């Protein structure tokens, strides 16, 4: 569907034009058009093919560190081969435009990829950590080297866990005892406290929150849009499907991030003019 004829877009565009402090809350759907699989979508979601209990908990890592480490290496390699899409680029452009006008756009993402950053945006909070911030499972020190490119293997196809090339996590160079783990937030783990606190502070101050590409099922991230509503801000949801949050949203735009976010930024630009030639 042409983004310009998505129901609610005119209302959302008015909100975008008026907003001086914007918070973007992003989820896996924002990166879907880059070729990064989401978690819960039928057919294509990672949790359709893989079990979160076997791969995304601390117990799983302790039970089979090689399995979990190797699977996350595959995810990291896959994401390295995926470019940012029109949605990431639009958010980055909007952030620059608002900053140039003395206003602000803050990004808090559940995504463990680096596509916001590669689109040129600054991210306030990676609520579920990052695939590229490995740390020691024992002492917690960050990995000294970049493990995102090793080991070699096909970045494209989803591996079969039984036959996947198994690689042991490297030993920590700091304590010499522990092994490295992916810097992501697994089920049952706390979100980074500063990331959560900074996101809540930004939501308290914002006039518009844009929630893009999340199923709004994983707590506590799923509650963040309600904090924006509680602070009196409007919340625009960008998601081709209905979510738990949709009925609470000020406007639900049923389109993809790559269609809808550029349209919102064009609306902002059309009103405020270009300050840079990017
Ligand atoms: C598009 C699109 C396009 C498609 N454009 N949109 C009951 C039992 C057990 C636990 C719990 C429980 N109740 C609550 C909990 C706690 C648990 C939780 O919420 N579980 C629920 C699932 C029930 N939460 C936690 O454990 C969290 N920690 C916590 O609560 O700490 C306190 C505590 C401590 C100790 C004990 C108890 C409590 C931590 C949660 C960590 C989540 N981690 C993951 C994995 C990260 C590592 C990795 O990448 O492997 O984070 S899970 C996974 O889901 C990942 C994501 O960030 C997260 C959210 O997913 P997201 O982004 O919403 O993606 P999808 O796939 O769900 O949705 C995609 C959406 O995009 C869809 O809506 C599409 O329609 C849309 N879309 N294409 C726009 N082009
Ligand atoms: Zn260590």
């Amino acid at each position: 569907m042409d983004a310009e004829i998505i129901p609610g877009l005119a209302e959302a565009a008015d909100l975008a034009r008026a907003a001086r402090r914007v918070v973007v809350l992003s989820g896996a759907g924002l990166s879907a058009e880059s070729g990064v699989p989401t978690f819960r979508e039928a057919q294509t979601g990672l949790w359709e093919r893989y079990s979160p209990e076997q791969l995304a908990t601390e117990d799983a890592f302790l039970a089979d560190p090689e399995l979990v480490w190797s699977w996350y290496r595959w995810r990291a390699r896959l994401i390295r081969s995926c470019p940012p899409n029109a949605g990431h680029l639009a958010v980055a452009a909007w952030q620059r435009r608002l900053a140039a006008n003395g206003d602000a756009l803050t990004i808090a993402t559940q995504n463990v990829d680096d596509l916001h950053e590669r689109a040129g945006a600054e991210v306030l909070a990676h609520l579920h950590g990052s695939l590229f911030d490995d740390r020691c499972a024992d002492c917690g020190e960050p990995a000294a080297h970049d493990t995102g490119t090793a080991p070699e293997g096909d970045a494209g196809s989803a591996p079969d866990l039984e036959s996947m090339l198994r690689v042991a996590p490297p030993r920590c160079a700091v304590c010499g005892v522990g092994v490295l783990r992916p810097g992501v937030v697994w089920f049952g783990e706390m979100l980074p406290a500063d990331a959560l606190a900074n996101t809540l502070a930004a939501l308290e101050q914002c006039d518009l929150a844009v929630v893009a590409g999340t199923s709004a099922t994983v707590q506590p991230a799923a509650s963040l849009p309600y904090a924006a509503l509680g602070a009196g801000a409007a919340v625009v949801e960008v998601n081709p499907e209905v979510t738990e949050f949709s009925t609470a949203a000020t406007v639900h735009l049923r389109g993809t991030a790559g269609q809808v976010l550029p349209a919102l930024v064009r609306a902002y630009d059309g009103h405020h003019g270009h300050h840079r030639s990017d």
Side-chain angles (χ1 to χ4, degrees), residues 59-273:
D59 283 350
F61 181 72
L62 295 175
D64 194 344
E66 288 187 6
L67 177 82
V68 172
W69 179 258
S70 303
W71 186 70
Y72 277 96
R73 287 312 89 205
W74 164 66
R75 302 254 317 276
R77 281 199 310 279
L78 173 61
I79 283 165
R80 285 217 193 278
S81 74
C82 295
N85 68 54
H88 299 104
L89 293 168
V91 171
W94 196 4
Q95 186 176 58
R96 285 193 294 272
R97 303 290 203 293
L98 279 162
N101 291 340
D103 299 330
L105 182 148
T106 300
I107 300 169
T109 186
Q110 293 176 73
N111 296 344
V112 297
D113 65 45
D114 60 351
L115 294 178
H116 274 302
E117 287 90 344
R118 281 199 268 137
E122 190 188 317
V123 176
L124 175 78
H126 272 277
L127 294 162
H128 294 162
S130 163
L131 276 174
F132 306 105
D133 285 337
D134 303 321
R135 65 170 189 273
C136 178
D138 275 13
C139 75
E141 286 296 315
H145 61 290
D146 176 11
T147 54
T149 50
E152 294 309 312
D154 182 3
S157 56
D160 187 20
L161 291 185
E162 254 77 277
S163 59
M164 178 174 63
L165 177 66
R166 292 171 66 97
V167 182
R171 194 158 295 282
C172 169
V174 179
C175 69
V177 179
V179 295
L180 300 185
R181 57 158 285 175
V184 301
V185 180
W186 283 323
F187 286 108
E189 293 186 321
M190 307 290 279
L191 276 61
D194 53 345
L196 195 55
N198 291 341
T199 302
L200 283 166
L203 290 168
E204 289 291 324
Q205 307 272 310
C206 77
D207 20 82
L208 172 66
V210 177
V211 189
T214 174
S215 60
T217 51
V218 175
Q219 296 295 349
S223 298
L224 291 171
Y226 297 93
L229 291 173
V235 181
V236 172
E237 181 183 47
V238 178
N239 197 314
E241 305 298 332
V242 170
T243 73
E244 301 266 325
F245 180 71
S246 298
T247 52
T250 313
V251 184
H252 174 200
L253 299 174
R254 288 197 72 167
T256 72
Q259 295 175 314
V260 169
L261 292 172
L264 285 184
V265 180
R266 278 197 296 277
Y268 176 84
D269 261 354
H271 186 68
H272 294 266

